[in-house]
Amino acid sequence: MPTAPQAAAPILSLPSRSQRAGSAKTSPVRDLLALTARPEVISFAGGLPAPELFDVEGIRAAFDAVLDSPGVLQYSTSEGDPGLRDAVARRYSSDGLPTAASDLIVTTGSQQGLGLISTTLVDPGDTILVEEPCYLAALQTFALAGARVVGVPYVGDDLDLDALDRLAAHHGPKFFYTVPTFQNPTGRTHDVEARRTIAAIAQRRGFRIVEDEPYRQLRYSGDALPSLAAFAPGHVISLGSFSKVIAPGLRIGWIRTTADIRSSITIAKQAADLHTSTIDQAAAAHYLASGRGELTLSRIREAYAARRDAMLEMLPSALPDGSSWNRPDGGMFVWVRLPEGRDAASALPAALAHDVAFVPGTSFFSGIPDERTLRLSFTTYSPARIREGLSRLGATWGTGR
Ligand SMILES: Cc1ncc(COP(=O)(O)O)c(C=O)c1O
């Protein structure tokens, strides 16, 4: 006997994604930038280290050397490899910032550090102050933590310190996030006086500072500057990374934390991924101890300095008249402001038609964007290729250059 058809189960709509997940913005220029993957495009858009400068031989030797060591293929502690933490601590101390290995927690890239700090310090609705413009993936991390992000503007190339003080007084932020040296996206650096003042404001207004320093060692001219932690040791959490000085694929960074939140950050790390790859940490420690890290870094610095100089020499002929840009002492980026009436995002399709690309600055703003801005990265190509790319860029502006 045929059975009666079963009544279809009512279709229930699935619970929606969290409000936090919806609040992390994606960039409207993403699709356009996907076009930069065409091999004929000279892309100044990415923020990638130059792959030909990776010390493949040295990294291979480090992995070979540690592979047989006890424990490197085993689970390990959440704080990280003791030898690696010790090596990083000694580097801070010899740079004038006394640091013990126990002050450090190894992270899976400094990007994870941003997430762990947000988990540890931010409740939904809390305010965080950031530089305006700011590193995009930090903005995404803070949005995912449910933070209210408020931008502190620049006056020219200097952070508006009065605005920092005013906004801190008004919002009572949990922390101020800064990339004090060769910032992403602008390449700007806070000078010693600005650092001293930022630290003093944090102490007076009672907020923390999260200083993110992936570019600190990529200095090609000028003198090294003290860490913000040197001015307000109890207020500053510092992040570091090997991504720009060894290789980003290693995914090794660290948090130099203050004692009061060390155990909370360690628990957040444990909950996130138990620990950063044991073998990668052991190889990084071995690599540093071998002395090859310093050699590689000087090669990287030398190459990037020549690339920066090639870009700075060409920019006057590659940009419309009335454009302005900075001359960073290091890092990977130059920040450009086009003249009145120009809009960087609208100019990108024409640039792509000429097989050259940049990132419009709008993606990096937490508040109202400056549509005249764009970011150029100078690390990826040889000086000759940079000159070729910039001469293509110069051809895209049409009349009125
Ligand atoms: C300012 C800043 N912070 C953090 C990161 C993430 O670096 P990591 O590879 O160490 O996660 C980047 C990467 O470009 C960056 O520019």
Side-chain angles (χ1 to χ4, degrees), residues 31-356:
D31 292 347
L32 275 180
L33 290 176
L35 299 174
T36 64
R38 286 188 286 122
E40 59 275 25
V41 173
I42 297 181
S43 177
F44 300 118
L48 301 185
E52 74 277 12
L53 297 171
F54 295 151
D55 178 13
V56 178
E57 234 176 80
I59 296 170
R60 181 184 292 120
F63 273 91
D64 274 354
V66 299
L67 192 53
D68 290 331
S69 313
V72 295
L73 296 177
Q74 190 53 278
Y75 284 118
S76 183
T77 57
S78 298
E79 291 87 343
D81 181 296
L84 182 63
R85 291 160 77 208
D86 201 48
V88 174
R90 273 189 277 114
R91 268 177 24 184
Y92 273 114
S93 301
S94 66
D95 277 356
L97 189 63
T99 302
S102 58
D103 296 330
L104 301 170
I105 297 166
V106 177
T107 56
T108 303
S110 54
Q111 188 64 36
Q112 186 185 46
L114 290 171
L116 299 180
I117 289 167
S118 301
T119 304
T120 303
L121 292 177
V122 178
D123 288 312
D126 282 347
T127 298
I128 294 173
L129 301 183
V130 300
E131 290 149 352
E132 181 83 301
C134 175
Y135 168 50
L136 175 61
L139 293 178
Q140 289 169 329
T141 303
F142 301 150
L144 285 172
R148 269 184 62 224
V149 176
V150 176
V152 181
Y154 281 84
V155 182
D157 283 333
D158 298 321
L159 193 72
D160 184 341
L161 298 172
D162 291 336
L164 174 65
D165 192 37
R166 219 172 31 249
L167 290 167
H170 183 72
H171 292 286
K174 275 287 173 75
F175 59 79
F176 169 51
Y177 169 70
T178 172
V179 182
T181 318
F182 316 133
Q183 194 229 26
N184 181 2
T186 62
R188 290 170 180 155
T189 293
H190 302 313
D191 66 19
V192 184
E193 267 325 298
R195 287 169 196 240
R196 202 188 303 282
T197 308
I198 292 167
I201 295 171
Q203 285 169 323
R204 191 167 67 244
R205 298 288 180 198
F207 60 88
R208 295 175 199 263
I209 296 170
V210 175
E211 71 170 341
D212 187 6
E213 286 277 50
Y215 304 103
R216 182 179 179 80
Q217 290 182 286
L218 295 185
R219 175 175 284 282
Y220 324 127
S221 45
D223 294 329
L225 294 167
S227 158
L228 279 155
F231 297 109
H235 286 67
V236 180
I237 304 158
S238 307
L239 301 180
S241 174
F242 290 137
S243 288
K244 307 302 189 302
V245 294
I246 304 181
L250 268 180
R251 308 304 307 128
I252 294 185
W254 58 88
I255 302 174
R256 180 185 182 276
T257 176
T258 49
D260 58 333
I261 55 168
R262 182 182 304 145
S263 64
S264 303
I265 293 183
T266 308
I267 292 167
K269 170 68 180 167
Q270 194 170 24
D273 63 356
L274 299 183
H275 59 77
T276 295
S277 158
T278 322
I279 185 163
D280 293 356
Q281 293 185 69
H286 188 280
Y287 184 78
L288 293 182
S290 75
R292 290 188 74 128
E294 282 309 312
L295 291 175
T296 303
L297 182 55
S298 20
R299 269 193 314 129
I300 291 175
R301 283 195 190 121
E302 199 183 325
Y304 287 178
R307 295 171 191 203
R308 173 202 59 177
D309 293 346
M311 178 168 277
L312 291 176
E313 272 161 33
M314 275 293 282
L315 281 181
S317 59
L319 293 170
D321 288 342
S323 300
S324 56
W325 59 91
N326 56 343
R327 305 181 68 82
D329 276 326
M332 298 174 60
F333 308 111
V334 173
W335 187 244
V336 173
R337 189 152 193 255
L338 299 173
E340 182 90 51
R342 298 268 186 179
D343 171 341
S346 313
L348 184 55
L352 285 166
H354 284 77
D355 290 336
V356 62

